[in-house]
Structures are given as C-alpha cells and as structure tokens.
Amino acid sequence: TQQRLTVLLTEFAAEARQRLDHALGQLPRTAHHPLGSAFALAMVKDALLSEIAADGFRVLNQRTGLPPLRKLWISWRSHRRSRRARGLSPRR
C-alpha cells in the first residue's frame, strides 16, 4: 500500500505544483505585495511539499514539518521579493 500511495501522492504533488505555478504566473508581479500573507503561505506550503517529496512521501509512517525558523525565512524572503517587484527598496 505504501508504494501505491507514493505513486498517488507523487501525481498529486505534481498537479499541486503545476496549479501553483499557473496561479502565480497569472498574477502580475506587482500583485504579490498586496497578497503578501497568502503569497508567503503558498511559499511555505510549497517548501513543505518539497520536504515531503524528498522524504519519499512516507506520510503513513512519519510526520514531516518545517522548523519555525525556516518558515520565518521563507516568509521574509517572499516579502522581500514582493517589495522588489513593486520597485520598493528594502527597509533598513
């Protein structure tokens, strides 16, 4: 059952990434800042999906998560990208 689940989750992960890429491709880069928290959450979820995929989708046997500092880093990085996209200089 683990092998079939891995195949199924691999397909779901590919579709999720495709949908996220498509959704982000439809947004103008200047829209990332007004949608800041949603954009940051999407980036955190994408990183979590990457971790689960790197673990081989062993979701039945173990729990996979991101450490809080990495979540903060991803959120901060997405915020900086959105400010750059709007032409705003980073705050100092």
Side-chain angles (χ1 to χ4, degrees), residues 30 33-34 79-91:
T30 55
H33 187 70
H79 177 72
R80 294 244 333 169
R81 284 181 185 162
S82 69
R83 287 185 61 82
R84 270 195 218 128
R86 290 185 64 212
L88 301 174
S89 62
R91 293 182 191 172

Side-chain angles (χ1 to χ4, degrees), residues 26-27 32 36 38 47 56-57 69 86:
Q26 296 296 313
L27 285 175
H32 289 187
F57 296 102
L69 190 58
R86 290 185 64 212

Side-chain angles (χ1 to χ4, degrees), residues 19-34:
R19 287 177 185 247
L20 179 63
D21 290 343
H22 178 71
L24 292 177
Q26 296 296 313
L27 285 175
R29 291 196 49 86
T30 55
H32 289 187
H33 187 70

Side-chain angles (χ1 to χ4, degrees), residues 28-45:
R29 291 196 49 86
T30 55
H32 289 187
H33 187 70
L35 300 173
S37 57
F39 183 68
L41 184 60
M43 296 298 101
V44 169
K45 297 299 180 183

